[in-house]
Amino acid sequence: MTPERHLLQISSLSLRRSGALVLDDLSLAIEQGQFVGLIGPNGAGKTSLLRIIAARLRSDGGRCVIDGHCAVQSPLAYRRMLGAALAPEELPADLSPRQLLQLVAAARELDQVPEESLWLAERLGLTPWLDRSIGNCSLGARQKAGLIAGMLGKPPLLVFDEPFNGLDPLAAFEFKSVLSQWTREGSCAVLLATHGIEVAERLLDRAVLLIHGKIADQWTRAELEQLREQGSDLEAAMVQSLRKRAEAASSDHLPVGHESH
Amino acid sequence: MHPWIHQQQLSFANRWRRWRSRQVETLFHLLAIAVVAAILMGPLLDLLARAGARIGQFGQGQPLLLACAWLVASAFVCWRPMSLLHEALAHGRWSSLPASASEGRGSYRLIGWLVTLAVITLSCLFARWSYPDTFAAGVREAGLAAGIGAQAAVWGAARPRRARPVRSVRAAATGWPSRSDFPQAMRYWLRLRVSSAWRTGALSGGGLLLGGLLFPAGSGMAHMLAGFIALLLAVRLMVLCTSSAALIFGADSLLQSQPLPEHAWLRAHRAAVLPEGSLLSTMLAICSYALGAPVAISIVVLMVLLWLLCNEVVLVSRFRRHPRRRTIVWTALTTAVVAIGPQAAPLLVLILPALTILLWMTRLK
């Protein structure tokens, strides 16, 4: 039997910042065409994990591999397989979204901005903003430009951190439709971190709950559907999981013999 | 207290804490500056004395013009930061925070009066210490004009503002390559940055002010023109280098996830800086010749400028993720060159290219 090959394979990832453990021996695997959502409270390590996967942050230990290419050993091949959205505040104010896309296309060794990206800009409603300078764009337009820049060239793995921030309902709907279409076709896998659980719930193949830099719980699509049939949802499951952990932590800190009283 | 003032206090405390954590680095920079200043003090004082003499000659011919320029420049020195402060207090994010308009106006007026008093007191004290009468009178006038500038900013802020027409929001598209090519795109992006820095005038304004002191007035129209052009070229070269470094540092964090090989950054920075930089350096060398320098000196000027450009390209590419390390290496190199230069000027012809090749080699490893 040949071992199953994952598109993204993260093993024993750890990260420390100012003495605190942000990611603790974290392992995660994503297959081609999978739509995975990272959920969890603030400070759980979602953004740090995404930044490490997007090669923007170095981990203190562990490995990140996309389709057999390690982020450290073969950084160029790794980055070719990856598309990471840019946050609105990272975008250069003096360029226009079109120039930004051209720059990213040049960095990805493409002759010009792919038609698909312009089509995506049209679908998300970015076309009227394409030739304005980013400094004069609205938050939503900047968010769209960052998302499209990340999706440019349709790389096999797409990584998003809070992609729905600032998007109007229509653009959010179109964005979700495109992502589900691409994952259904199997042309790429998506990993996104979000607090909009109700938004993500309908799209996800898998939801991963991250607490204190560790995977605390996971739900597959079948389990999510089962939750829905039982009249519950991902939010309730997540809250339940968080409460369980909080209770376990508080009982760990109780003085010896406390339970007997 | 206005939240802006509170924010400044916090920001100062943070800066102080950061400075304390970088004491060794800061001490190294201070030491290097002291060494460079000590070596260059003689030639600099000589240059200032000559510039002073030329301005004196010019002033004898055009006393009113010189006095007006001096007063306007001194008033501008205080008026500009005060206007910016007013913008920060009145139109910043404080407008949506619990800081009333009257509180903003009161804080601004108070700061305006304090600045006026401080400027006039300092200029009076300085004028008493300074020896030559004309210089003391100039300092007193400058202080008075700066105080008037600060007060003008306060009075100007109290007047109702006229609505300004909205500027064009379209990004400049001229020259942006139609086909994607990374070095070309970076080159045009740099061109946008440089023209924007040039337009904002922070550097060009300072450079022109310096020009007022340095250009060789009274030595013929051709000389004056050559001096002025040399000054503009030097400012442009400075803007080019600072903007390109800022651009590479910003672009690196923007494109960290993109499959860009190391040499692409070097090529991009080279394409962005070297053509215009070499042209400016050559023109500066020609200007130095036009100003009366011997051919040999002009060639040395050209070589040193080209060496500085090559170093800038190599250092920025090499340390694009560690801008502080780049500053430390720059400081060390500059100090070494200034220290060695006067003793072994002919050797610099060999030392400078060797240093660049060494840096290049370490870059390739």
Side-chain angles (χ1 to χ4, degrees):
Chain A
M1 204 175 105
T2 53
E4 196 180 356
R5 188 164 178 183
H6 302 288
L7 177 71
L8 172 70
Q9 179 81 54
I10 297 169
S11 37
S12 308
L13 213 61
S14 63
L15 178 74
R16 265 183 188 279
R17 278 288 175 268
S18 313
L21 205 56
V22 180
L23 295 176
D24 184 7
D25 199 26
L26 189 141
S27 297
L28 178 74
I30 295 177
E31 281 148 42
Q32 182 72 39
Q34 229 181 12
F35 200 134
V36 180
L38 268 181
I39 53 172
N42 294 333
K46 300 187 295 289
T47 300
S48 299
L49 175 61
L50 291 185
R51 285 179 68 82
I52 290 173
I53 296 171
R56 288 182 187 174
L57 191 66
R58 273 209 172 168
S59 63
D60 295 329
R63 259 162 71 90
C64 250
V65 177
I66 303 180
D67 201 24
H69 304 291
C70 175
V72 181
Q73 283 154 5
S74 42
L76 289 185
Y78 177 91
R79 284 170 168 86
R80 269 187 209 109
M81 308 294 291
L82 170 83
L86 299 163
E89 65 275 7
E90 288 175 333
L91 303 184
D94 49 354
L95 293 188
S96 67
R98 192 189 297 280
Q99 288 167 341
L100 173 75
L101 295 180
Q102 280 170 341
L103 190 71
V104 175
R108 297 197 80 91
E109 293 171 334
L110 299 169
D111 280 344
Q112 52 193 358
V113 178
E115 280 300 315
E116 204 165 41
S117 297
L118 297 176
W119 165 82
L120 199 58
E122 181 69 45
R123 272 191 80 169
L124 296 187
L126 184 69
T127 309
W129 300 85
L130 272 179
D131 293 310
R132 294 181 179 208
S133 57
I134 290 172
N136 287 315
C137 285
S138 67
L139 172 67
R142 276 182 282 144
Q143 178 76 306
K144 289 170 196 171
L147 292 176
I148 297 170
M151 294 160 85
L152 195 137
K154 212 173 175 182
L157 178 68
L158 295 173
V159 177
F160 302 103
D161 189 6
E162 293 292 350
F164 304 110
N165 277 0
L167 290 191
D168 59 81
L170 189 63
F173 175 78
E174 292 290 350
F175 178 64
K176 283 182 278 181
S177 315
V178 171
L179 287 189
S180 2
Q181 189 191 327
W182 286 7
T183 47
R184 265 201 315 274
E185 286 168 1
S187 51
C188 53
V190 174
L191 175 64
L192 65 82
T194 183
H195 286 295
I197 296 171
E198 69 292 344
V199 176
E201 197 178 2
R202 279 170 275 140
L203 301 166
L204 300 180
D205 291 320
R206 186 148 62 107
V208 177
L209 174 64
L210 209 64
I211 301 175
H212 300 314
K214 275 186 172 179
I215 295 179
D217 225 331
Q218 296 195 51
W219 296 270
T220 60
R221 182 182 277 272
E223 284 168 334
L224 288 172
E225 275 166 16
Q226 205 180 344
L227 279 175
R228 240 172 278 147
E229 280 165 16
Q230 288 166 357
S232 182
D233 56 12
L234 182 58
E235 191 178 21
M238 187 184 93
V239 170
Q240 202 181 351
S241 186
L242 283 171
R243 279 191 183 143
K244 249 189 230 169
R245 294 215 146 231
E247 278 164 21
S250 63
S251 64
D252 281 350
H253 288 97
L254 283 178
V256 180
H258 181 87
E259 280 102 330
S260 60
H261 290 292
Chain B
M1 188 193 288
H2 194 278
W4 183 84
I5 298 172
H6 185 55
Q7 191 210 26
Q8 294 309 305
Q9 279 178 345
L10 292 175
S11 147
F12 179 76
N14 284 340
R15 238 176 261 161
W16 174 250
R17 216 172 296 136
R18 218 175 303 143
W19 183 81
R20 279 174 63 91
S21 69
R22 294 178 189 170
Q23 263 175 354
V24 179
E25 193 183 317
T26 315
L27 278 175
F28 168 73
H29 285 303
L30 288 177
L31 205 67
I33 290 168
V35 168
V36 172
I39 294 168
L40 295 181
M41 189 59 87
L44 264 178
L45 284 177
D46 183 48
L47 188 72
L48 280 175
R50 270 192 282 165
R54 279 167 183 163
I55 290 169
Q57 278 176 14
F58 182 70
Q60 279 171 358
Q62 304 282 342
L64 195 64
L65 190 68
L66 190 72
C68 284
W70 179 242
L71 288 177
V72 168
S74 308
F76 187 75
V77 164
C78 260
W79 176 79
R80 183 73 187 144
M82 287 300 291
S83 304
L84 290 175
L85 174 68
H86 179 251
E87 291 281 327
L89 285 171
H91 300 286
R93 52 205 165 96
W94 314 121
S95 51
S96 59
L97 282 176
S100 65
S102 64
E103 198 178 359
R105 277 197 302 274
S107 306
Y108 184 64
R109 217 173 292 136
L110 180 67
I111 294 172
W113 277 111
L114 288 176
V115 168
T116 312
L117 275 175
V119 162
I120 292 176
T121 314
L122 278 175
S123 63
C124 285
L125 281 173
F126 192 66
R128 194 179 293 168
W129 294 331
S130 57
Y131 175 63
D133 280 352
T134 46
F135 189 65
V139 170
R140 256 197 310 272
E141 282 165 16
L144 196 66
I148 291 171
Q151 282 305 306
V154 174
W155 292 326
R159 285 173 50 211
R161 295 168 69 85
R162 268 183 306 169
R164 283 187 191 170
V166 179
R167 277 198 208 156
S168 167
V169 289
R170 294 186 81 78
T174 341
W176 191 271
S178 54
R179 296 192 77 74
S180 296
D181 175 60
F182 187 63
Q184 286 293 317
M186 290 295 282
R187 192 173 165 185
Y188 286 110
W189 190 7
L190 178 66
R191 195 176 286 178
L192 282 180
R193 277 282 165 92
V194 170
S195 26
S196 145
W198 193 251
R199 271 201 309 272
T200 52
L203 277 169
S204 50
L208 290 180
L209 202 68
L210 198 70
L213 288 169
L214 292 184
F215 78 75
S219 47
M221 191 51 106
H223 258 75
M224 277 172 65
L225 199 66
F228 193 68
I229 290 171
L231 190 90
L232 282 178
L233 291 172
V235 172
R236 178 80 188 186
L237 192 63
M238 210 159 73
V239 172
L240 179 77
C241 287
T242 48
S243 303
S244 72
L247 179 77
I248 292 286
F249 296 142
D252 180 68
S253 69
L254 183 77
L255 302 172
Q256 254 176 338
S257 307
Q258 303 304 332
L260 276 168
E262 286 290 306
H263 63 79
W265 285 103
L266 193 63
R267 270 180 53 218
H269 196 205
R270 217 166 44 194
V273 173
L274 281 190
E276 191 183 342
S278 311
L279 184 69
L280 288 171
S281 306
T282 314
M283 286 166 76
L284 265 169
I286 293 169
C287 277
S288 73
Y289 177 70
L291 282 166
V295 179
I297 296 290
S298 298
I299 291 172
V300 170
V301 166
L302 178 64
M303 278 196 63
V304 170
L305 286 174
L306 288 179
W307 173 73
L308 286 173
L309 272 175
C310 290
N311 265 357
E312 173 70 2
V313 170
V314 172
L315 286 179
V316 168
S317 307
R318 174 144 171 67
F319 297 112
R320 62 176 197 278
R321 290 197 184 146
H322 307 281
R324 275 167 59 199
R325 275 188 218 163
R326 170 225 173 213
T327 319
I328 289 172
V329 176
W330 247 132
T331 313
L333 276 175
T334 315
T335 316
V337 168
V338 170
I340 296 168
Q343 275 79 38
L347 280 181
L348 276 182
V349 177
L350 294 173
I351 292 169
L352 297 186
L355 271 174
T356 307
I357 291 167
L358 196 70
L359 278 168
W360 202 278
M361 298 286 281
T362 51
R363 168 76 192 78
L364 291 174
K365 270 180 190 171

